[in-house]
């Protein structure tokens, strides 16, 4: 069955980092956000596709956005995450 109605994708706190980076509309914004708020370069190197620790890459790929606040609370606050989600969702066409 194929739908004739386009459903707008919504980015939530449960969306994974990997899902963001796989979306061509959102990936540039996600990379910018991760680079801006990254403390130890692990997020940036994953988002830019550099070789690195496979376990860390897999962990980050499946990490929900809500976990970024706990992962790096001095750099990413709930308010920042909410602003990021709003930006991502207004960027998405469908």
């Amino acid at each position: 069955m194929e739908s004739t109605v386009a459903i707008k994708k919504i980015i939530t706190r449960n969306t994974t980092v990997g899902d963001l980076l796989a979306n061509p509309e959102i990936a540039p914004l996600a990379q910018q956000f991760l680079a801006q708020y990254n403390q130890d370069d692990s997020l940036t190197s994953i988002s830019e596709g550099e070789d690195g620790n496979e376990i860390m890459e897999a962990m980050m790929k499946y990490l929900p956005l809500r976990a970024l606040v706990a992962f790096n609370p001095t750099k990413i606050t709930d308010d920042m995450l909410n602003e990021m989600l709003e930006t991502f969702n207004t960027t998405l066409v469908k």
Side-chain angles (χ1 to χ4, degrees), residues 74-93:
T74 60
K75 292 283 190 175
I76 303 174
T77 66
D78 279 320
D79 290 338
M80 289 175 185
L81 180 58
N82 290 335
E83 288 176 24
M84 178 186 69
L85 292 173
E86 185 176 332
T87 300
F88 290 163
N89 285 311
T90 57
T91 300
L92 286 172
V93 175

Side-chain angles (χ1 to χ4, degrees), residues 15-92:
T15 301
T16 65
V17 172
D19 287 342
L20 289 181
L21 297 176
N23 184 314
E25 291 178 273
I26 298 297
L29 289 173
Q31 289 172 341
Q32 180 182 15
F33 175 80
L34 294 173
Q36 183 178 359
Y37 296 108
N38 184 28
Q39 182 177 29
D40 62 6
D41 293 334
S42 60
L43 298 177
T44 304
S45 64
I46 291 166
S47 68
E48 293 174 354
E50 295 176 8
D51 290 333
N53 185 320
E54 290 181 24
I55 294 172
M56 183 63 153
E57 287 179 19
M59 182 185 82
M60 291 307 300
K61 182 177 180 180
Y62 297 107
L63 187 74
L65 295 175
R66 61 183 153 71
L68 291 175
V69 176
F71 187 69
N72 198 349
T74 60
K75 292 283 190 175
I76 303 174
T77 66
D78 279 320
D79 290 338
M80 289 175 185
L81 180 58
N82 290 335
E83 288 176 24
M84 178 186 69
L85 292 173
E86 185 176 332
T87 300
F88 290 163
N89 285 311
T90 57
T91 300
L92 286 172

